[in-house]
Amino acid sequence: MAETPRTLRLSLKTRFLLAAHSFGIRAASRSDHTVNRSVLNIFDPKAAASAKPINGVSSFDDTIDPTRNLWFRLYAPTSTATTDALPVIIFFHGGGFAFMAANSKSFDVLCRRLAREINVVVISINYRLAPEYKYPCQYEDGFDALNYIDGMAFENFPAKLDLGRCFIAGDSAGGNLAHHVVLKACEHTFSNIKIKGLVAMQPFFGGEERTESEIKLVGVPLISVERTDWMWKAFLPEGSDRNHSVVNVFGPNAVDISGVKFPATLLFVGGFDPLQDWQKKYHEGLKKSGKEVHLVEYPNAFHGFYCLPESPEFSLLIGEVKSFVQKQSSLT
């Protein structure tokens, strides 16, 4: 269980950015569990794709299904000296299933840096959001995106892709989404995609129980019990509770995955994240199911720290993901 961390030390700039983001989410979240998108857009600046390299990375948008606003942004490193095909990270953004987008500036910065520093192609998926589109829409979009990418030729892109070295990644709600997309993908035969690993960055799981970290970590950046309760209510079908199998994945209604050929998982947990106990339950559940999982804990990290490049843990996370990609890519 979580121990009470010491004081979280943040720069004035970081505190301001976190406060602005939290204010925007609160202002856009209505009491009836709907979202004021006009208000939200003020606090969620977007970044355009850029074929012209920015810090050694080009980006391009491609539409999968315009009726669902299902599309992706591909990030290709241009500074690499090799002409070999690069591993692929398919990334799902966070935001409690109700907020943010693939072109949100914070995720654009994150994906660009992942592509440049790990030397991979990153494909960031834009999926439908709750409450306008509740479960299972997000999971359907995620899996459909994989099928679409599996059938693409990628002939006109600046970097060669090796879909045989494919990693599924996500942060927060995107980490939850990544888990369930991988689970469904395990039952499917792709033409080109071979999933070599799952990268779960502080994944958004929960349950009816109140964990020690949820109770003790009050007033920390971005996450509170009230906020996560609101997000689950906006996301889940009417009449469902937080012990739903997609929320409490190893809880009372869990699906047995012991017989599933699930890939190796790299799991990140932060000491100032109220969700950490649920993430550790996820770690334990994967291990008990016989799955390979590597837990990385940052005692001084808050939820979503990777969206702020000045966070000292940011570079550590990049290094861990790079090592994981290299190791899993080398396995046959």
Side-chain angles (χ1 to χ4, degrees):
M1 299 296 284
E3 295 180 1
T4 304
R6 291 178 291 180
T7 304
L8 179 60
R9 302 182 187 280
L10 300 172
S11 68
L12 186 62
K13 177 184 177 183
T14 298
R15 289 184 182 278
F16 174 79
L17 291 172
L18 292 172
H21 180 80
S22 293
F23 177 83
I25 296 294
R26 284 197 304 271
S29 303
R30 300 187 179 108
S31 59
D32 63 352
H33 301 93
T34 60
V35 177
N36 187 325
R37 299 288 173 196
S38 298
V39 170
L40 181 64
N41 287 337
I42 299 172
F43 297 92
D44 181 20
K46 302 298 195 295
S50 176
K52 182 179 179 180
I54 298 175
N55 295 327
V57 178
S58 296
S59 56
F60 308 85
D61 292 344
D62 193 15
T63 300
I64 300 172
D65 184 350
T67 66
R68 289 187 275 172
N69 194 29
L70 180 58
W71 56 273
F72 67 76
R73 177 165 294 177
L74 183 146
Y75 298 86
T78 57
S79 56
T80 178
T82 182
T83 58
D84 296 338
L86 299 177
V88 178
I89 294 178
I90 297 176
F91 181 80
F92 295 100
H93 69 82
F97 296 107
F99 306 101
M100 313 298 283
N103 59 347
S104 292
K105 191 172 182 179
S106 56
F107 289 118
D108 185 77
V109 171
L110 172 60
C111 291
R112 196 175 295 279
R113 188 166 173 183
L114 287 169
R116 181 179 69 251
E117 299 194 21
I118 303 177
N119 200 31
V120 294
V121 171
V122 176
I123 302 177
S124 181
I125 309 299
N126 194 79
Y127 53 87
R128 287 173 291 179
L129 297 176
E132 295 90 339
Y133 300 96
K134 289 179 175 284
Y135 164 85
C137 293
Q138 294 75 14
Y139 302 129
E140 292 171 347
D141 288 353
F143 186 74
D144 288 349
L146 255 66
N147 267 324
Y148 181 87
I149 292 165
D150 185 55
M152 286 189 69
F154 291 103
E155 294 175 346
N156 299 316
F157 289 94
K160 295 180 182 178
L161 286 72
D162 182 0
L163 290 174
R165 293 183 291 161
C166 185
F167 295 80
I168 311 299
D171 81 288
S172 194
N176 176 305
L177 178 50
H179 167 83
H180 290 289
V181 168
V182 167
L183 199 56
K184 186 171 182 179
C186 289
E187 303 172 349
H188 183 78
T189 301
F190 294 100
S191 298
N192 299 297
I193 286 177
K194 184 176 181 181
I195 298 173
K196 305 290 283 187
L198 166 63
V199 179
M201 300 158 59
Q202 298 179 300
F204 186 28
F205 298 120
E208 286 297 305
E209 172 195 354
R210 293 301 187 203
T211 66
E212 184 179 341
S213 61
E214 287 176 311
I215 294 168
K216 286 188 174 181
L217 291 172
V218 177
V220 294
L222 298 181
I223 289 291
S224 67
V225 168
E226 293 75 22
R227 181 169 297 174
T228 56
D229 283 357
W230 186 98
M231 289 172 172
W232 289 128
K233 191 76 172 177
F235 170 69
L236 290 169
E238 196 69 33
S240 300
D241 65 21
R242 296 188 304 275
N243 278 335
H244 192 290
S245 61
V246 299
V247 181
N248 195 349
V249 290
F250 290 108
N253 302 309
V255 176
D256 181 12
I257 67 168
S258 57
V260 177
K261 193 176 180 181
F262 201 80
T265 299
L266 178 62
L267 172 63
F268 291 95
V269 174
F272 281 90
D273 184 357
L275 298 175
Q276 64 180 278
D277 285 345
W278 289 112
Q279 294 153 6
K280 291 174 182 178
K281 287 176 185 287
Y282 177 63
H283 174 251
E284 294 167 5
L286 287 176
K287 284 174 47 177
K288 288 179 180 177
S289 299
K291 310 309 172 190
E292 180 183 351
V293 55
H294 306 277
L295 175 64
V296 180
E297 295 187 71
Y298 297 134
N300 296 317
F302 56 87
H303 192 83
F305 70 90
Y306 36 78
C307 288
L308 294 169
E310 60 268 25
S311 166
E313 290 82 11
F314 190 106
S315 294
L316 298 176
L317 179 143
I318 294 286
E320 290 284 355
V321 176
K322 183 175 183 177
S323 296
F324 181 72
V325 168
Q326 290 174 342
K327 177 185 176 183
Q328 296 302 126
S329 293
S330 67
L331 301 177
T332 56

